[in-house]
Amino acid sequence: MGLLGDLQRQLHAAGGGHQHRGHPGAPAQPAAGAAGGAVRALIITQGPARGHRALRELAAASDLVLAADGGARTARLAGVVPHEIVGDLDSLDATTMRWAARRRVRRRVFPRAKEATDAELALWQARRRGARQVWLFGAVAGRLDQTLANVFLLFAARRLRVAARLTDGRATAYLVDGDAEVRGRRGDTVSLLPLSPVVRGITTAGLRYPLRRGVLRRGSTRGLSNEMTASAARVRLTAGDLLLVHTPR
Amino acid sequence: MGLLGDLQRQLHAAGGGHQHRGHPGAPAQPAAGAAGGAVRALIITQGPARGHRALRELAAASDLVLAADGGARTARLAGVVPHEIVGDLDSLDATTMRWAARRRVRRRVFPRAKEATDAELALWQARRRGARQVWLFGAVAGRLDQTLANVFLLFAARRLRVAARLTDGRATAYLVDGDAEVRGRRGDTVSLLPLSPVVRGITTAGLRYPLRRGVLRRGSTRGLSNEMTASAARVRLTAGDLLLVHTPR
């Protein structure tokens, strides 16, 4: 169990009606949208170096696996063959290039990289291919601006009506849309971070420091480092943008 | 020059009318508010391990140096003696405890740590001691929730009418309040991240990909990884919350 189990549980919790297809070893065409079910996509961005087992689990549970440019290297090192590499392809090393060519991985090249990061381009591409749920596997411990851009891609996904979660293979972050259930273990850390000036009507269950119709203001750290008291926790809110970060202990 | 010079330039740019007092080796009472000038405070949070020289430079240019709990260890390792240690003191190792006791560093102990992180408590304390400008030296590459909480403390500082900047000793992040000048070097990375749903009227100078009364929406990565074309860049906006992240090359 542990991390992988946690991610899997979260993935299942996020979706419902999951049909496990597994991830093909050498993809020809992604099955995206084929069987009529909700398409689950995985977007692999550059880094992190760790979390390879978690990445393989996520890939196995995804219908569509996209590597955002340099993310192809992360995929290769984890032994995950993406359906497609998306981006301006300026960050691909020669070894990964050859590896992808041998496996006939498609490339979706976007010339004007400065209009969006490769991760955002990959998000659009996932949406175009019918994704309704997206996992972003990426660096949340590298350059600050890139970390933040990955977090805020969750808002871009929301605009595209895609349920999105960001993970580095350990912590998972997502926007609470009215109601969220966290599946994990007693002792896990759950942090609530207001991303709008104010978040209202926050009620929690299964956390050591509970809130009852509470208010969190942006900049307040009151919602940080709460602790799960059971294997499930619940967070509801009535208004505002709240980021939930779940870090297994 | 390099990083330290950059930080110094930014510190000076942020303030104006700087009176360099230097940082005492063994502080008795912080000089906070004494000379009638604007008090500059430095808050040292837990981690990062690197950036010690930058930390010493910042300390030397500050009137008041606060360590947020475990940040005292960072201070010790960098050879910086804080005026005060603030927090619930649950993260202090024995060596740092002894080191601080020998130097008679004051402690400001807050019992209810769950209402705020030690970094936020230190921010309040800095404000109480008259700080009008604050540098937050801290981890922006550790646990995602803590990194984000440090970034969003910039909003808490804004509410307290304190001009605040966050740095890990390399990158610097701050909110653009109408107008900001970045001092650095050609080739440095400047990223603009909208933190409100929309940021309007963005005009830049000195960046490779310019904006003229541009609009950035939260979640768009269009403002990411721009590049300085001179030793100074300028960013103006008319409405919205914009985070600027400057990363020297």
Side-chain angles (χ1 to χ4, degrees):
Chain A
M1 275 314 249
L3 306 186
L4 310 179
D6 290 335
L7 286 173
Q8 279 291 38
R9 277 199 303 276
Q10 289 171 27
L11 189 69
H12 286 248
H18 177 59
Q19 39 173 334
H20 188 99
R21 283 207 209 121
H23 179 251
Q29 289 288 325
V39 173
R40 291 161 190 265
L42 169 65
I43 294 170
I44 306 170
T45 72
Q46 227 164 353
R50 63 198 174 92
H52 285 174
R53 282 181 56 205
L55 179 53
R56 283 192 293 272
E57 292 257 346
L58 286 173
S62 298
D63 306 303
L64 174 66
V65 178
L66 302 178
D69 204 344
R73 184 167 186 274
T74 311
R76 173 174 67 81
L77 294 175
V80 169
V81 181
H83 293 104
E84 220 167 17
I85 301 175
V86 179
D88 56 9
L89 307 191
D90 65 351
S91 311
L92 276 189
D93 61 282
T95 306
T96 301
M97 281 284 208
R98 280 195 300 273
W99 172 85
R102 272 201 303 273
R103 281 154 189 81
R104 276 172 285 174
V105 178
R106 291 161 52 120
R107 299 180 198 173
R108 175 87 181 178
V109 184
F110 289 82
R112 296 174 307 148
K114 285 303 155 198
E115 288 299 300
T117 61
D118 298 307
E120 187 174 3
L121 295 174
L123 176 64
W124 296 349
Q125 179 70 352
R127 183 66 185 77
R128 209 172 288 128
R129 291 202 177 281
R132 289 294 179 279
Q133 296 165 30
V134 168
W135 275 91
L136 286 157
F137 183 86
V140 294
R143 236 174 64 188
L144 177 62
D145 52 349
Q146 289 169 339
T147 296
L148 291 171
N150 280 343
V151 172
F152 280 86
L153 267 187
L154 296 173
F155 284 106
R158 183 195 266 177
R159 273 202 301 277
L160 294 172
R161 293 167 190 275
V162 172
R165 292 182 172 219
L166 170 69
T167 184
D168 62 352
R170 183 166 182 236
T172 305
Y174 49 95
L175 297 171
V176 178
D177 279 316
D179 191 348
E181 192 188 39
V182 187
R183 303 206 199 165
R185 288 195 294 180
R186 193 188 163 94
D188 286 1
T189 299
V190 171
S191 289
L192 303 179
L193 281 139
L195 300 188
S196 53
V198 62
V199 181
R200 295 183 193 282
I202 308 172
T203 298
T204 65
L207 296 179
R208 183 165 307 281
Y209 307 94
L211 279 169
R212 291 274 168 273
R213 292 179 288 281
V215 171
L216 288 177
R217 285 175 201 287
R218 188 171 56 179
S220 160
T221 58
R222 199 178 149 212
L224 211 77
S225 296
N226 214 321
E227 195 186 310
M228 288 178 73
T229 53
S231 61
R234 187 168 276 264
V235 178
R236 297 167 199 266
L237 57 87
T238 55
D241 300 318
L242 188 70
L243 186 79
L244 189 154
V245 183
H246 173 211
T247 311
R249 69 186 158 97
Chain B
M1 276 314 250
L3 307 186
L4 310 179
D6 290 337
L7 285 173
Q8 280 289 41
R9 276 199 304 275
Q10 289 171 28
L11 190 70
H12 287 249
H18 178 59
Q19 39 174 330
H20 189 99
R21 283 207 208 122
H23 179 254
Q29 290 287 326
V39 173
R40 291 159 190 264
L42 168 65
I43 294 171
I44 306 171
T45 73
Q46 230 164 351
R50 63 200 174 91
H52 285 174
R53 282 181 57 203
L55 179 53
R56 283 193 293 273
E57 291 257 347
L58 286 172
S62 298
D63 305 303
L64 173 65
V65 178
L66 302 178
D69 205 343
R73 184 168 186 273
T74 311
R76 173 174 67 80
L77 294 175
V80 169
V81 182
H83 293 103
E84 220 168 17
I85 302 176
V86 179
D88 57 9
L89 306 192
D90 66 350
S91 313
L92 276 189
D93 61 282
T95 306
T96 301
M97 282 284 207
R98 280 194 302 273
W99 172 83
R102 272 199 303 274
R103 280 153 189 82
R104 277 173 284 175
V105 177
R106 291 161 52 121
R107 299 179 197 174
R108 175 85 181 180
V109 184
F110 289 82
R112 298 173 306 149
K114 285 304 155 196
E115 288 299 301
T117 60
D118 298 308
E120 188 174 1
L121 294 174
L123 177 63
W124 297 349
Q125 180 69 353
R127 184 65 184 79
R128 209 173 288 128
R129 291 203 176 280
R132 288 294 179 280
Q133 295 165 30
V134 168
W135 275 91
L136 287 157
F137 183 86
V140 293
R143 237 175 62 189
L144 177 63
D145 52 350
Q146 290 170 339
T147 296
L148 289 172
N150 280 344
V151 172
F152 279 86
L153 268 187
L154 297 173
F155 284 107
R158 182 196 265 177
R159 272 203 300 279
L160 295 172
R161 292 167 191 274
V162 172
R165 293 181 173 219
L166 170 68
T167 184
D168 62 351
R170 184 168 182 235
T172 305
Y174 49 94
L175 298 170
V176 177
D177 280 315
D179 191 349
E181 191 188 41
V182 186
R183 303 206 199 166
R185 288 196 292 181
R186 194 186 162 94
D188 285 2
T189 299
V190 171
S191 288
L192 303 179
L193 280 139
L195 299 187
S196 54
V198 63
V199 180
R200 295 183 193 284
I202 308 171
T203 298
T204 65
L207 296 178
R208 183 164 307 281
Y209 307 94
L211 279 169
R212 291 276 169 270
R213 292 178 288 281
V215 171
L216 288 176
R217 288 178 197 286
R218 187 170 57 178
S220 160
T221 58
R222 200 179 148 212
L224 212 76
S225 296
N226 214 322
E227 196 187 311
M228 289 178 72
T229 52
S231 61
R234 186 168 277 265
V235 178
R236 298 165 198 265
L237 56 87
T238 55
D241 300 318
L242 187 69
L243 186 79
L244 188 154
V245 183
H246 173 210
T247 311
R249 70 187 157 99

